[in-house]
Amino acid sequence: MTPMNDTGSGLLLNGLDGANPLAFLAALGTLRVVNECETDSPREWRLLWQQNQGCWSPVISGDISLTEEKLIQMIVSGSGDIEKHPAKLFPHDDLKISCEDFYRIARDAQNRAIFMDHRYADFISALGCESLPVSQIDKNIQDTALRTMSGAGHQHFIGSMRELVEHTEPERLQSSLFEPWQYLDPKPSLRWDPFDDRRYALRWKEPAGDRIRTMRGANRLAIEALPLFPTLPTGQKLHTTGFSQSRDKGVLFTWPIWKTPLSIDVVTSLISLDELQRPQPNRENLSARGIVEIYRSQRITTGKYRNFTPAIPV
């Protein structure tokens, strides 16, 4: 347990490395879930990053002390009824969906939304937009830059989320959050971890015969971060929060590391800062906001799959 400030104590999630895009998303997903956890006295939980054994690890804090066991209980509780999870409600396994069909799904999510529960609508807004087809010929939606698969090799973007929601045990969450990552868990993986890049030249074994191993708990938690990265139309293109397009490097995912305990609302604002997406962000301006590091990962396409490269400091 690491003392934080006079609002309480913080719990170090030393299994998560802020330089890994999957770990960063898992940290944000954890923060979002615990803030939605129903308790007798609702609290606002906060997140910061601190240097830990050569990397940046997240610390979650509130107005009460937190233990590893209590956090896992809160995550399970905050995740709610599995059958009502957005990944379960979504009627397709992938995002190859016509604009017309996606419009009906979005309207259904809007009709389900209430003041105390609009998770499904938030989830839909992060997946795509019904007003922007891929082209005049292809009437399917443009979708999130976080989409990494579309059914090839039986790897389904939403279908994988659904399986993770249904079959991720608490001990998987525990090992992802608090232990060194050993990649002992079976698939599915959402391919947000650079470790998921299975090109032949990068592997000891032939990928076709090498079973997929992942950190199942981290993938499960990262799903909950999706609503923090909504999509929105910009001209004729769909933009995903946290992403930019480079002429020479293609699609880039950039995220900040901060040293001040921030609420979920402030974190949502921070990750959407335009300054982060510039080729060379103004470090002085961002430092004034408490940002101590900026990481950037390139999204690459290999065959029919997308992957993320190891991040580098900007």
Side-chain angles (χ1 to χ4, degrees):
M1 197 78 71
T2 306
M4 291 301 306
N5 49 41
D6 56 9
T7 62
S9 298
L11 181 63
L12 178 67
L13 311 183
N14 57 358
L16 301 182
D17 177 359
N20 184 314
L22 174 62
F24 178 76
L25 292 171
L28 268 57
T30 300
L31 177 66
R32 182 170 170 268
V33 169
V34 297
N35 273 289
E36 293 184 352
C37 182
E38 295 183 5
T39 62
D40 294 334
S41 54
R43 303 175 177 88
E44 186 174 60
W45 296 93
R46 294 175 171 82
L47 190 75
L48 62 73
W49 300 82
Q50 75 174 34
Q51 290 185 316
N52 172 48
Q53 298 182 355
C55 67
W56 289 99
S57 294
V59 176
I60 190 166
S61 63
D63 58 356
I64 61 171
S65 296
L66 196 60
T67 64
E68 295 181 9
E69 294 76 14
K70 177 63 176 176
L71 178 61
I72 299 301
Q73 292 173 5
M74 291 175 64
I75 291 172
V76 173
S77 174
S79 298
D81 185 352
I82 289 179
E83 295 304 316
K84 294 181 180 179
H85 191 278
K88 292 280 289 182
L89 296 175
F90 197 79
H92 298 273
D93 285 340
D94 291 295
L95 293 178
K96 288 185 176 180
I97 305 169
S98 70
C99 290
E100 183 179 357
D101 195 7
F102 193 80
Y103 170 77
R104 288 192 291 266
I105 295 171
R107 284 298 301 270
D108 175 54
Q110 181 184 34
N111 292 334
R112 291 173 180 265
I114 59 175
F115 178 75
M116 295 300 294
D117 186 0
H118 42 82
R119 290 181 297 171
Y120 189 32
D122 294 341
F123 185 79
I124 297 301
S125 71
L127 295 183
C129 177
E130 71 279 3
S131 64
L132 289 178
V134 173
S135 67
Q136 292 183 346
I137 298 175
D138 188 344
K139 298 302 182 181
N140 287 336
I141 62 167
Q142 295 183 38
D143 56 23
T144 172
L146 283 165
R147 195 254 311 155
T148 52
M149 59 193 101
S150 293
H154 305 289
Q155 295 188 43
H156 305 280
F157 189 54
I158 306 298
S160 295
M161 293 185 194
R162 196 175 299 126
E163 183 175 344
L164 288 164
V165 168
E166 292 174 337
H167 303 295
T168 300
E169 302 85 356
E171 53 266 30
R172 309 282 191 188
L173 303 173
Q174 175 86 19
S175 61
S176 290
L177 291 174
F178 300 109
E179 300 172 12
W181 287 14
Q182 300 185 47
Y183 294 95
L184 300 177
D185 301 333
K187 62 179 184 180
S189 161
L190 295 173
R191 308 187 74 92
W192 291 333
D193 188 340
F195 183 82
D196 295 322
D197 186 1
R198 296 169 55 82
R199 283 175 289 173
Y200 186 89
L202 301 179
R203 304 191 68 83
W204 178 257
K205 298 180 180 180
E206 182 179 357
D210 191 10
R211 289 187 298 173
I212 296 176
R213 291 295 181 182
T214 186
M215 295 302 297
R216 199 180 185 99
N219 280 271
R220 170 65 185 90
L221 291 168
I223 295 171
E224 304 304 328
L226 266 177
L228 304 182
F229 297 86
T231 62
L232 66 157
T234 54
Q236 295 302 310
K237 296 293 184 179
L238 189 69
H239 177 75
T240 302
T241 300
F243 284 79
S244 60
Q245 182 82 34
S246 168
R247 179 173 298 179
D248 58 336
K249 294 185 178 180
V251 178
L252 302 172
F253 178 30
T254 306
W255 63 94
I257 300 295
W258 57 92
K259 63 181 179 181
T260 303
L262 300 181
S263 68
I264 187 68
D265 291 335
V266 179
V267 169
T268 301
S269 176
L270 200 69
I271 61 178
S272 65
L273 286 174
D274 180 65
E275 183 68 44
L276 291 171
Q277 305 308 322
R278 301 183 186 277
Q280 290 296 327
N282 187 314
R283 297 292 294 249
E284 184 176 353
N285 289 346
L286 294 174
S287 179
R289 298 173 182 266
I291 294 175
V292 293
E293 189 55 272
I294 307 162
Y295 286 112
R296 180 166 290 165
S297 175
Q298 181 182 3
R299 195 195 69 191
I300 58 176
T301 300
T302 305
K304 298 180 179 179
Y305 305 109
R306 292 171 173 173
N307 295 286
F308 289 88
T309 63
I312 60 173
V314 179

